[in-house]
Amino acid sequence: MKHRLRLQDVALLGGLLIAGLPNPAGAAPVNYDEAKVGEIPLPDPLQMADGQPVTNAAMWYQLRRPEILRLFQTQVYGQPPPRPMVQNFRIVAEDRAALNGLATRRDVVLDIAAATNGTALTFTLFLPNRRTGPVPIFVGLHLFDTAHPHPQPAVARRQPGTPAPTPEANGRIGRATADRILARGYGLASLNIEALAPDSVTNYWQGVARLYGRTQPGAPAAEETGALGLWAWGLSRALDYFEAASDVDARRVIALGHSRMGKVALWAAATDQRFAAVIANDSGCGGAALSKRNYGETVAIITGAFPHWFCGNFTQYAGHEDRLPVDQHELLALIAPRPVYIASAVEDRWADPRGEFLAALHAEPVYRLLNAGGLGVTTQPAPDQPVGATINYHLRHGQHDLTDYDWDQYLAFADRCVMSAATAPGHSH
Ligand code: GCU
């Protein structure tokens, strides 16, 4: 009989591993031995389900891309809700002298009406005051604490039983990083998740899921979108606002996220081709890491601990990852030919750094087919050696976190692939 993980073991285990502490005695084994991963056949992104090879860009866009997208919608994340029938943006606060005059801070409320009910989402933008036209912007969820007048690391979400994170941990942007981003000419926007989907199995449905049919608690149904999909949908709504705002360049919007929000950034860019580029920092299982590799967090562990993140169908692959008809290199392929940055950290074995690299590598054939250039290497680079042109990757020394080193690379990437790109990468198709 298969050993089943108890939910609390798994949640505890995940948190402890992230904190870099040893396995608690008696917990289900998590594999960290590369020799035990074995050879896993990956689905070929350039082969149709019926075996036909995909030989040109038209075939990719018209036939194979929709086929892969559909697999992610039915087997992994769920069907995204539609664009709201009605949405109105209201600027509820604006401070033109934020960050010592460096930026304009704007709080926007988005009122959404669906068939019978509605809700309001809020997000906060900082735009550089030294701008000559619409600016490129980084957007993510909980990138900073929007309750505070200045970007501050938000109050970090904690797993039960884990040590308190350090203030700069957990991927939030503090004041110094925000100043850097704005001084470099980029805007910065962050949404809160609460109105979209609270991050809990009992309450996740009490956000926008209520607008699209859900009336009671319960894990997502077979193809029903889970919280990751609802959060990604929120990023698209922010993009709707950027299209309406004259001071943001909606063709140069970079989705960025750390850890669970890195998973979200990737799915947002896959489902919404208006995103110009995407950065997934330490996104791990359900993000950039290949699901079929048994290393670190697995489908069994993630669906046990966070059943509300994915569609119901994904749980059937717990312990049966070999049956998954799709894998995460194909999620990255859905983003092609747009620039993507995948990053791992040496001590973040829970997120499977090698699995993240391999997904980037195996997305490359699609980027090549679309003449977009790829990663430029075939083996995982040594720590602190960023690689790539359109697909970018680094393995950083240190722990699961979004650090200044990561931001050095992301700003250089954004300058090269988004800010100074002759044609905006977004809206390519
Ligand atoms: C948990 C989870 C990861 C996730 C992480 C985070 O550890 O297992 O998949 O990335 O939380 O978002 O911090």
Side-chain angles (χ1 to χ4, degrees):
M1 225 190 84
K2 259 199 136 36
H3 178 63
R4 290 222 132 231
L5 301 173
R6 281 185 302 129
L7 192 82
Q8 53 283 37
D9 284 346
V10 171
L12 185 70
L13 186 63
L16 285 171
L17 286 163
I18 277 173
L21 297 174
N23 262 356
V30 174
N31 181 44
Y32 288 120
D33 182 354
E34 192 59 43
K36 292 199 181 125
V37 173
E39 279 289 312
I40 21 122
L42 289 177
D44 181 348
L46 292 182
Q47 186 176 322
M48 297 289 299
D50 67 7
Q52 253 194 95
V54 178
T55 52
N56 57 53
M59 258 187 104
W60 167 257
Y61 286 116
Q62 285 157 28
L63 301 173
R64 181 58 174 153
R65 190 181 187 281
E67 202 171 65
I68 294 175
L69 185 61
R70 184 150 174 75
L71 288 174
F72 279 106
Q73 288 173 350
T74 59
Q75 308 302 312
V76 184
Y77 303 104
Q79 304 278 0
R83 192 176 169 135
M85 290 191 316
V86 179
Q87 48 184 355
N88 289 309
F89 300 101
R90 284 183 285 136
I91 297 176
V92 291
E94 190 162 80
D95 173 6
R96 293 180 183 233
L99 309 184
N100 292 340
L102 180 64
T104 294
R105 178 198 161 112
R106 187 179 296 162
D107 294 317
V108 180
V109 171
L110 166 56
D111 295 306
I112 297 172
T116 53
N117 51 10
T119 192
L121 308 177
T122 56
F123 50 98
T124 300
L125 278 74
F126 287 89
L127 298 175
N129 281 338
R130 276 183 54 182
R131 59 176 190 268
T132 50
V135 290
I137 193 163
F138 291 96
V139 63
L141 296 135
H142 284 259
L143 284 179
F144 50 82
D145 183 353
T146 54
H148 195 276
H150 297 148
Q152 291 233 322
V155 181
R157 292 176 309 272
R158 286 178 63 182
Q159 307 288 330
T162 59
T166 57
E168 287 289 336
N170 276 302
R172 309 307 189 274
I173 293 173
R175 172 71 189 268
T177 307
D179 281 1
R180 262 180 94 191
I181 295 167
L182 285 147
R184 196 99 160 218
Y186 295 92
L188 177 63
S190 184
L191 283 79
N192 293 337
I193 58 168
E194 282 70 29
L196 288 165
D199 192 4
S200 99
V201 66
T202 39
N203 292 329
Y204 83 94
W205 66 280
Q206 291 185 331
V208 290
R210 285 179 304 120
L211 303 188
Y212 297 102
R214 184 164 268 280
T215 54
Q216 54 183 30
E223 295 183 10
E224 183 182 358
T225 194
L228 296 176
L230 295 166
W231 298 335
W233 181 89
L235 290 180
S236 286
R237 303 292 68 81
L239 212 160
D240 294 342
Y241 170 71
F242 302 151
E243 287 190 327
S246 57
D247 34 23
V248 177
D249 185 348
R251 295 164 311 134
R252 293 179 207 267
V253 178
I254 305 164
L256 173 136
H258 167 66
S259 204
R260 72 195 68 187
M261 299 313 175
K263 310 179 206 299
V264 173
L266 292 171
W267 181 231
T271 49
D272 188 338
Q273 296 189 75
R274 296 174 300 168
F275 287 102
V278 58
I279 298 169
N281 191 76
D282 303 356
S283 58
C285 185
L290 292 173
S291 296
K292 290 177 187 284
R293 274 170 57 84
N294 174 21
Y295 189 101
E297 188 174 32
T298 58
V299 176
I301 297 173
I302 204 167
T303 55
F306 306 102
H308 60 294
W309 282 3
F310 300 91
C311 70
N313 277 341
F314 195 50
T315 53
Q316 76 195 34
Y317 302 105
H320 301 288
E321 288 82 354
D322 54 315
R323 295 186 197 157
L324 256 172
V326 74
D327 209 336
Q328 301 304 102
H329 60 305
E330 294 174 298
L331 177 67
L332 306 187
L334 291 177
I335 296 161
R338 293 163 292 159
V340 57
Y341 204 124
I342 304 301
S344 318
V346 173
E347 290 166 42
D348 186 19
R349 297 185 307 162
W350 184 246
D352 186 10
R354 186 167 161 73
E356 295 181 317
F357 169 76
L358 289 174
L361 181 67
H362 291 293
E364 206 178 48
V366 177
Y367 276 78
R368 283 200 199 294
L369 181 77
L370 304 178
N371 291 322
L375 197 55
V377 295
T378 52
T379 53
Q380 191 177 16
D384 304 338
Q385 306 279 327
V387 295
T390 311
I391 307 176
N392 295 256
Y393 177 84
H394 73 243
L395 171 67
R396 166 179 56 69
H397 272 117
Q399 297 185 1
H400 183 73
D401 197 359
L402 176 56
T403 67
D404 287 348
Y405 176 88
D406 297 319
W407 271 106
D408 290 345
Q409 315 316 317
Y410 300 156
L411 286 168
F413 162 74
D415 285 356
R416 174 166 52 83
C417 293
V418 178
M419 177 80 89
S420 56
T423 43
H427 295 250
S428 47
H429 284 272

